[in-house]
Amino acid sequence: MRAGNEGHPDRPLRKFDSTCANLIASLAFEATSRRQRAKLSNRDSVGANGWGLRTRTILPLLPPPSIPLHKAMAESPTLKRKREEKESKNGTAESPKEGATATGFTLTDLSVRRVLRESARDKTIFLHGQVKSASGDGTDAVVILEKTPFQEENISELLKKHTKLKLQMSNDIYSTYHLYLPPELNEIKTTVVYPATEKHLQKYLRQEVYLIQETGADYKTITLPFIESQSFSIQWVYNILEKKAEADRIIYENSDPAHGFVLIPDLKWDQKQLDDLYLIAICHCRGIKSLRDLTAEHLPLLRNILKEGKEAIVKRFGIAGARLRIYLHYQPSYYHLHVHFTALSYDAPGISVERAHLLSDVIDNLELDSHYYQMRTLTFALRADEPLLKKFQEAGRV
């Protein structure tokens, strides 16, 4: 999830009460026209930093079961829209219960308690809400609202058919207006964590961030013992690798147990446009926790991910390798080696210099020195509430 820095999490809601209520009501209405159902991904909270927490998240499925994945991805936006219109007329499109989520409640049942975090830059807001149960008790939930990027095929319709403008300011040749769109052209991507624990609430709450400079010795005496003492479940990773879950989402696979990987869309990418393309390569080899474990022995694996990952993306999505950002995180959000592939033009979360390491640079460094990442000082950021930060503070390293 994105780690926005704007906004204050604990301020009174004031005018946000009505704004959030209106947004949620609009989303509940819009759900009746959505043709894709929600899919529940039950993923455990993993990773020391918690920024890439995987939890019970609603995400749209790609095509309906009747349409092969490769065919749906190959459709042009115009053909896809015509097909959906035809399905709607023929009564084959899905018609979920109004406002319903896959977690079994409607957004209108949600009472907003506070704003955890908001980002004007990313057009996102993180809400702490409660859903009343049959007994009357409130169950915590986190709702993340995010404005989706413009879709090129909708621009012509937007300008020609919806020209109602409300003037805000005019000065010489410059004018500012508000343009009000119908729900089908004003989509809001919604992520729901329900039921949410206190750990989920703390994850999305804005907190102070500290910069850590971890030496090779620090890793052995502080970070590694901390990782080994925690019960970070990555069963969901093994489910993907063993095709027990999300097998239909795999874009490419090299099945070699030592040097192979699967390439799969990240949950943050809704796959409706390529501007925010985001895929993850997850290696088949188990036991490689992070950048710190890599040696020259892993160069064949890393080269495969770099070369074959780029080839798979250009074949499937038409985006050349020179237009991709390919990198690893340190600290990672979960301790099983994985590589991020994002569109170069996309300001993806986690691409800051204190966290992202380009895969090409990692390969070059290991070619120069097999033990480069065992010895090098690595810099990363930790939030104030993270247990690993406390370990560094106790050791006098912060």
Side-chain angles (χ1 to χ4, degrees):
M1 307 314 304
R2 303 185 184 201
N5 295 321
E6 297 80 6
H8 193 289
D10 296 321
R11 68 189 187 285
L13 289 179
R14 295 194 298 271
K15 66 178 182 179
F16 240 98
D17 276 327
S18 59
T19 303
C20 293
N22 289 338
L23 277 172
I24 292 173
S26 173
L27 287 165
F29 172 80
E30 185 181 342
T32 62
S33 64
R34 297 290 298 272
R35 294 180 172 84
Q36 292 182 320
R37 296 198 299 183
K39 171 183 176 183
L40 189 63
S41 176
N42 189 1
R43 298 184 171 180
D44 295 308
S45 168
V46 291
N49 60 7
W51 284 12
L53 181 71
R54 299 217 176 200
T55 177
R56 302 183 66 183
T57 303
I58 302 298
L59 67 156
L61 283 170
L62 277 176
S66 59
I67 302 169
L69 181 64
H70 69 278
K71 188 172 181 180
M73 290 303 294
E75 281 184 309
S76 71
T78 301
L79 289 176
K80 182 179 179 181
R81 186 169 61 253
K82 289 181 178 179
R83 171 179 55 76
E84 291 179 341
E85 289 173 353
K86 182 178 179 181
E87 287 177 348
S88 180
K89 290 178 181 178
N90 294 337
T92 57
E94 296 287 349
S95 299
K97 179 182 176 182
E98 180 174 343
T101 71
T103 50
F105 73 90
T106 60
L107 289 174
T108 52
D109 295 334
L110 187 75
S111 174
V112 178
R113 308 298 297 171
R114 58 175 169 160
V115 176
L116 297 172
R117 188 170 79 229
E118 59 178 302
S119 170
R121 185 193 68 180
D122 297 328
K123 306 295 188 298
T124 57
I125 185 167
F126 299 74
L127 304 174
H128 170 204
Q130 287 189 331
V131 180
K132 285 189 177 180
S133 62
S135 63
D137 296 331
T139 302
D140 287 323
V142 174
V143 176
I144 305 167
L145 306 179
E146 177 184 354
K147 288 293 295 179
T148 56
F150 284 107
Q151 295 183 42
E152 185 177 346
E153 67 271 17
N154 290 336
I155 296 299
S156 178
E157 182 181 359
L158 184 156
L159 297 178
K160 289 181 179 179
K161 296 183 180 180
H162 305 282
T163 55
K164 182 180 178 181
L165 298 174
K166 184 176 180 181
L167 180 66
Q168 299 298 304
M169 182 277 295
S170 181
N171 184 354
D172 193 26
I173 64 173
Y174 302 100
S175 300
T176 302
Y177 300 86
H178 280 175
L179 173 62
Y180 298 94
L181 302 175
E184 61 269 19
L185 294 178
N186 196 27
E187 181 180 345
I188 297 176
K189 179 184 175 184
T190 305
T191 302
V192 177
V193 183
Y194 175 79
T197 66
E198 181 61 28
K199 191 170 186 178
H200 295 134
L201 298 177
Q202 290 300 315
K203 171 190 183 301
Y204 295 111
L205 184 66
R206 181 182 181 270
Q207 301 204 25
E208 295 298 326
V209 180
Y210 295 80
L211 206 60
I212 306 297
Q213 290 187 310
E214 177 195 79
T215 65
D218 288 336
Y219 177 75
K220 294 176 182 178
T221 60
I222 303 174
T223 306
L224 183 58
F226 170 79
I227 295 171
E228 293 174 340
S229 70
Q230 302 299 302
S231 56
F232 296 134
S233 173
I234 53 172
Q235 183 58 48
W236 64 269
V237 173
Y238 301 148
N239 288 343
I240 292 174
L241 295 175
E242 296 167 7
K243 312 295 192 308
K244 293 179 180 179
E246 304 188 45
D248 60 328
R249 301 180 71 241
I250 294 176
I251 301 297
Y252 174 83
E253 179 177 18
N254 177 330
S255 58
D256 187 285
H259 305 142
F261 65 98
V262 298
L263 186 65
I264 190 167
D266 187 270
L267 300 186
K268 290 182 283 295
W269 183 35
D270 63 12
Q271 303 179 64
K272 292 185 177 180
Q273 59 281 314
L274 298 178
D275 293 342
D276 57 344
L277 176 140
Y278 200 143
L279 298 106
I280 299 289
I282 304 175
C283 72
H284 276 295
C285 182
R286 304 187 183 189
I288 311 175
K289 290 183 286 295
S290 72
L291 199 60
R292 284 291 191 189
D293 290 339
L294 292 175
T295 66
E297 176 188 353
H298 302 110
L299 282 171
L301 166 64
L302 300 177
R303 290 174 182 140
N304 282 350
I305 292 175
L306 183 63
K307 179 178 182 291
E308 296 174 25
K310 289 193 293 186
E311 290 173 350
I313 290 174
V314 72
K315 182 178 180 180
R316 183 66 170 269
F317 303 108
I319 298 183
R323 296 170 56 200
L324 295 172
R325 182 187 291 109
I326 308 169
Y327 56 97
L328 297 85
H329 279 155
Y330 191 80
Q331 292 282 331
S333 54
Y334 52 95
Y335 292 104
H336 179 100
L337 188 72
H338 57 284
V339 177
H340 302 253
F341 288 73
T342 65
L344 188 59
S345 58
Y346 174 44
D347 290 332
I351 61 171
S352 53
V353 294
E354 67 271 17
R355 195 174 185 206
H357 299 256
L358 292 175
L359 178 57
S360 56
D361 289 347
V362 172
I363 291 173
D364 287 345
N365 292 333
L366 291 175
E367 287 175 340
L368 291 172
D369 184 349
S370 177
H371 300 287
Y372 182 89
Y373 288 103
Q374 278 79 57
M375 299 184 296
R376 180 189 167 183
T377 295
L378 297 177
T379 301
F380 55 89
L382 291 175
R383 301 193 333 162
D385 66 330
E386 294 183 49
L388 183 56
L389 175 63
K390 185 177 180 180
K391 295 296 183 182
F392 273 86
Q393 289 172 332
E394 291 173 350
R397 295 290 293 125
V398 179

